[in-house]
Amino acid sequence: MTTGTMRTGAATGAAGEDTRSRLLATALRLFTEHGAEGTSLQMIADALGVTKAAVYYHFKTKDEITEAVAEPGLRELAAVVEEAATFRRRGARIDHLLTGFVDIVVRHRALVALFSSDPGVARAIEKTLHGEERFEKRLIALLAGPEPDTSTLVAAHVALAGIALAGGAPALADLDDESLREALLAVGRRLMGRPRPRA
Amino acid sequence: MTTGTMRTGAATGAAGEDTRSRLLATALRLFTEHGAEGTSLQMIADALGVTKAAVYYHFKTKDEITEAVAEPGLRELAAVVEEAATFRRRGARIDHLLTGFVDIVVRHRALVALFSSDPGVARAIEKTLHGEERFEKRLIALLAGPEPDTSTLVAAHVALAGIALAGGAPALADLDDESLREALLAVGRRLMGRPRPRA
């Protein structure tokens, strides 16, 4: 948990950031500590040293904050999916998807952990995705390919769910980003039958 | 979803079952349809064709019902973990753990799906496990072995989380038990570096 807290703390204190992004970084930290349900707009205001009115100026409800916290990661994921879909060779498509997915999970692991454990955050993210199920289907379809056999389909599900959950697992929070990224990518490649990356 | 509903429906109607197990099967079906939060004791009573007092006779709160619904699967899992710990050879330990874990996930997939998606059910199960984190640590430790390197540790996390989530995934609900079991076990073995089972 130390690395996660340090990352958030550093982001919160960085000079030149506007109130909105400081607010979002603070909200994510408080959500992680108290859950989204256990965090009030007042707590966010207090942690920022501003009035509740200042928070209201940016966000009217906590759900709006949760959606805004999740938005960058989701936008990146959507971009990776679109890019992957442009590759004609299945291997290249899988490689692009796995590399991008793992990278997003690792860089946003505090958020991923919240998504796995906090129903409020999960609901907000699903709302942002406007039909999360179709998005997940698209990811699986790109990874497993057209008309996959059962074992490939199941491997794709295990890869995506496993990478996301392991990426956010408190037990792996002490791993630095690079080690986690490398290990998750290796696992994903093994699952999807891709050769080991060159050392 | 069809197979899941059929399984639950058949279990509910089986002759010779006592009220308690009919009640639990009905509760699981209603939890799946409406979520644990969206299911009242009255709804369970109505679906069973009994009075609310009859439900109260067995369970005082919905949390007690949720814990009782989850209890058989959790007891089986605890037994698999204890058995696996008795194997001296790491390969045999992994094989026993994966086979047992996959089998429990597949046979209880309606419950596993609920656990992944319903915060009320997840809370009740964690309460039953009396410190779920330690239990998960034990599972991971048995699977990854003593002092695992990063890649083995991450693979163990991906295997357990991925198998559980894929096993409960609505998108895989149409797979029959045997196909799902075989595919999940193959994936788990591949992740933990075990040879393919003989055909």
Side-chain angles (χ1 to χ4, degrees):
Chain A
M1 286 311 253
T2 323
T3 52
T5 311
M6 278 176 61
R7 270 199 308 275
T8 315
T12 309
E17 283 193 351
D18 63 7
T19 311
R20 190 177 186 276
S21 48
R22 278 179 58 224
L23 198 159
L24 293 179
T26 303
L28 178 57
R29 179 171 58 81
L30 291 172
F31 288 174
T32 302
E33 286 170 21
H34 309 286
E37 281 176 43
T39 303
S40 64
L41 291 188
Q42 186 64 60
M43 286 163 74
I44 297 173
D46 290 348
L48 277 167
V50 302
T51 63
K52 202 168 154 186
V55 174
Y56 265 123
Y57 175 79
H58 292 280
F59 299 103
K60 294 293 166 266
T61 64
K62 204 165 53 180
D63 274 1
E64 280 183 25
I65 298 182
T66 314
E67 287 170 41
V69 163
E71 208 256 335
L74 293 174
R75 204 177 39 212
E76 291 169 29
L77 185 56
V80 164
V81 168
E82 289 318 310
E83 287 160 15
T86 64
F87 287 92
R88 284 200 56 196
R89 281 184 41 244
R90 173 144 188 266
R93 207 160 55 216
I94 293 176
D95 291 352
H96 189 81
L97 208 55
L98 283 179
T99 309
F101 185 69
V102 164
D103 182 58
I104 291 165
V105 165
V106 170
R107 278 187 297 107
H108 297 279
R109 39 177 154 161
L111 179 65
V112 172
L114 259 185
F115 177 64
S116 320
S117 65
D118 194 303
V121 175
R123 261 196 304 274
I125 289 181
E126 279 164 31
K127 196 177 153 195
T128 307
L129 287 174
H130 301 300
E132 182 231 13
E133 210 196 342
R134 263 171 304 152
F135 190 74
E136 195 201 313
K137 264 192 188 153
R138 185 106 201 274
L139 262 168
I140 292 284
L142 283 170
L143 201 54
E147 303 183 29
D149 57 25
T150 299
S151 87
T152 307
L153 184 64
V154 169
H157 274 275
V158 171
L160 289 182
I163 287 171
L165 253 83
L172 300 179
D174 284 341
L175 286 181
D176 65 272
D177 283 6
E178 197 40 47
S179 306
L180 181 62
R181 185 182 287 118
E182 199 180 298
L184 287 176
L185 186 57
V187 157
R189 294 180 68 90
R190 205 184 313 161
L191 275 173
M192 300 316 300
R194 299 292 298 152
R196 291 182 180 224
R198 282 148 294 184
Chain B
M1 287 311 251
T2 324
T3 51
T5 312
M6 279 176 60
R7 271 198 308 274
T8 316
T12 311
E17 284 193 348
D18 63 6
T19 311
R20 190 176 186 277
S21 47
R22 277 180 56 225
L23 197 159
L24 293 179
T26 302
L28 178 56
R29 180 169 58 79
L30 291 172
F31 288 174
T32 302
E33 284 169 22
H34 310 286
E37 280 176 44
T39 304
S40 63
L41 292 187
Q42 187 63 59
M43 285 163 75
I44 297 172
D46 290 347
L48 277 167
V50 301
T51 63
K52 203 169 155 185
V55 173
Y56 265 122
Y57 175 79
H58 292 279
F59 300 102
K60 294 293 167 266
T61 64
K62 204 166 55 182
D63 273 1
E64 280 184 26
I65 298 183
T66 313
E67 286 171 41
V69 163
E71 208 256 335
L74 294 174
R75 206 177 39 214
E76 290 169 30
L77 185 56
V80 164
V81 168
E82 289 318 310
E83 286 160 16
T86 65
F87 287 93
R88 283 199 57 195
R89 281 184 41 245
R90 173 146 188 264
R93 206 159 56 217
I94 293 176
D95 291 352
H96 190 81
L97 208 56
L98 283 179
T99 309
F101 185 68
V102 164
D103 182 58
I104 290 165
V105 165
V106 170
R107 278 187 297 106
H108 297 281
R109 39 177 154 160
L111 179 65
V112 172
L114 260 186
F115 176 64
S116 320
S117 65
D118 195 303
V121 175
R123 261 196 304 273
I125 289 181
E126 279 165 31
K127 197 175 152 195
T128 308
L129 287 174
H130 302 300
E132 180 231 14
E133 210 196 341
R134 264 170 303 153
F135 190 74
E136 195 202 310
K137 264 191 189 154
R138 185 108 201 273
L139 262 167
I140 293 285
L142 283 169
L143 201 55
E147 304 184 27
D149 57 24
T150 299
S151 87
T152 307
L153 183 64
V154 169
H157 274 275
V158 171
L160 289 182
I163 286 171
L165 253 83
L172 301 177
D174 285 341
L175 286 180
D176 64 274
D177 282 6
E178 197 41 45
S179 306
L180 182 62
R181 185 181 286 116
E182 200 179 297
L184 287 176
L185 187 57
V187 158
R189 294 179 69 88
R190 204 184 314 162
L191 275 174
M192 299 317 299
R194 298 291 299 150
R196 291 180 180 228
R198 282 148 294 186

